Amino acid sequence: MKYATQIVLLNEKNEVLGVSRKDDHSNFGLVGGKVDPGETIEEAAIRETKEETGLDISNLRQIFSMHKEGYMGTTFLADYSGKIETDEPHIVKWTTFEELGKGSFGKWNDLVAESLISMGIKIKLK
């Protein structure tokens, strides 16, 4: 089975950190990516966050998992530290779950938002 991970990072305004697709800077999703062979899901979450945003994460809490299109995806809520900076060819910005819902992984991001709300975690929807 193949695995992927996504990470929810929330700021003090309850906005979520979004990352654009490298080939479409108007298409935003959560930070994350595929788990490499020999890597745990948590290690992949930490690596992907560092690569895509420059941030360090800690206190990973699993908030959502689902099998889709050949991948078992696991989403974590995490604390972060550091400064946003990356050499990757995409845009990193604080945004809303509404914007993430319009991206390529919109259905997934909508389910993640629903999970967060049901857990009593405040998020900015619009």
Side-chain angles (χ1 to χ4, degrees), residues 36 46-55 85-88 90:
D36 290 339
I46 292 166
R47 175 185 52 76
E48 287 286 350
T49 302
K50 189 68 169 179
E51 289 175 4
E52 292 185 2
T53 70
L55 297 173
E85 51 188 1
T86 181
D87 294 331
E88 297 277 325
H90 57 232

Side-chain angles (χ1 to χ4, degrees), residues 7-26:
I7 304 87
V8 174
L9 302 175
L10 299 171
N11 67 13
E12 63 283 346
K13 297 177 186 174
N14 301 320
E15 296 168 317
V16 63
L17 194 62
V19 178
S20 74
R21 305 290 292 170
K22 293 173 184 173
D23 60 348
D24 182 354
H25 291 175
S26 66

Side-chain angles (χ1 to χ4, degrees), residues 10-11 13-16 94-100 113 117 121-126:
L10 299 171
N11 67 13
K13 297 177 186 174
N14 301 320
E15 296 168 317
V16 63
W94 295 106
T95 187
T96 64
F97 269 93
E98 180 180 55
E99 183 169 17
L100 296 186
I117 291 166
I121 297 170
K122 293 183 180 183
I123 59 173
K124 188 168 187 177
L125 290 173
K126 297 181 180 187

Side-chain angles (χ1 to χ4, degrees), residues 27-55:
N27 183 353
F28 281 85
L30 292 170
V31 174
K34 296 175 184 171
V35 177
D36 290 339
E39 189 176 45
T40 68
I41 297 168
E42 292 84 1
E43 289 168 340
I46 292 166
R47 175 185 52 76
E48 287 286 350
T49 302
K50 189 68 169 179
E51 289 175 4
E52 292 185 2
T53 70
L55 297 173

Side-chain angles (χ1 to χ4, degrees), residues 52-98:
E52 292 185 2
T53 70
L55 297 173
D56 295 307
I57 60 171
S58 59
N59 192 25
L60 280 70
R61 283 102 57 208
Q62 183 177 341
I63 58 168
F64 184 76
S65 292
M66 186 173 77
H67 190 271
K68 183 174 174 149
E69 298 175 11
Y71 281 89
M72 184 65 207
T74 301
T75 304
F76 296 98
L77 176 64
D79 298 334
Y80 64 92
S81 61
K83 181 181 173 186
I84 296 173
E85 51 188 1
T86 181
D87 294 331
E88 297 277 325
H90 57 232
I91 296 170
V92 180
K93 71 174 185 176
W94 295 106
T95 187
T96 64
F97 269 93
E98 180 180 55

